[in-house]
Amino acid sequence: MSVVKSSLSEADLKTVGDALRGALVDLVDLALVAKQVHWNVVGPRFRSVHLQLDEVVDTARQHSDTVAERASAIGVTPDGRAATVAAQSAIGAVPEGWIKDGDAVRTLVDALGAVTGRMRERIEVTADPDPVSQDVLIGLTADLEKHAWMFQAESA
């Protein structure tokens, strides 16, 4: 049962809903991963990497709220519960303990690559059924790809 009625067909709603729910999962996990690395990074580039990680957290949190609210607006219940995120995220596990700055950068390059790859797939599948949701995904992907570029430049 949906309290919010959607103007999308059932098939389109499923496609777009799956894309938005998947985006939410990846954004929630990206914020958690970046914060975990933020707390544990060490090394000569500690300060710059530490601050850069908080920028990723802020971006992921901001966009996760936008994505969740878009899902709600079209009648799809958002699901950012820990169990859902753990089961469905594309991001690999973060090692326990201190993380050298170079390893922290590689962890974020990998995480951002996994998330942006899936976001691009979601952009593609939402093009016809819901250009409004697609626009949300395009904007957030642009921001994540900017972070990916900056972390890749750190590792050059």
Side-chain angles (χ1 to χ4, degrees), residues 20-92:
L20 292 171
R21 281 182 158 194
L24 179 61
V25 162
D26 286 345
L27 290 166
V28 169
D29 200 27
L30 180 62
L32 292 170
V33 164
K35 197 48 119 167
Q36 181 66 26
V37 175
H38 166 90
W39 294 323
N40 290 287
V41 65
V42 294
R45 295 182 294 162
F46 162 80
R47 182 162 173 73
S48 65
V49 173
H50 182 79
L51 295 173
Q52 197 174 354
L53 287 160
D54 263 345
E55 292 173 7
V56 173
V57 172
D58 291 344
T59 297
R61 286 179 178 167
Q62 176 187 9
H63 284 298
S64 66
D65 195 50
T66 301
V67 166
E69 289 178 357
R70 178 64 191 156
S72 292
I74 63 169
V76 173
T77 56
D79 188 355
R81 296 173 298 162
T84 303
V85 172
Q88 297 176 12
S89 176
I91 302 172

Side-chain angles (χ1 to χ4, degrees), residues 30 33 90-92 106-116:
L30 180 62
V33 164
I91 302 172
R106 278 187 291 285
T107 297
L108 262 291
V109 167
D110 291 346
L112 287 161
V115 172
T116 58

Side-chain angles (χ1 to χ4, degrees), residues 4 52 56 73 135 143 148 152:
V4 178
Q52 197 174 354
V56 173
D135 188 55
D143 287 347
Q152 289 173 39

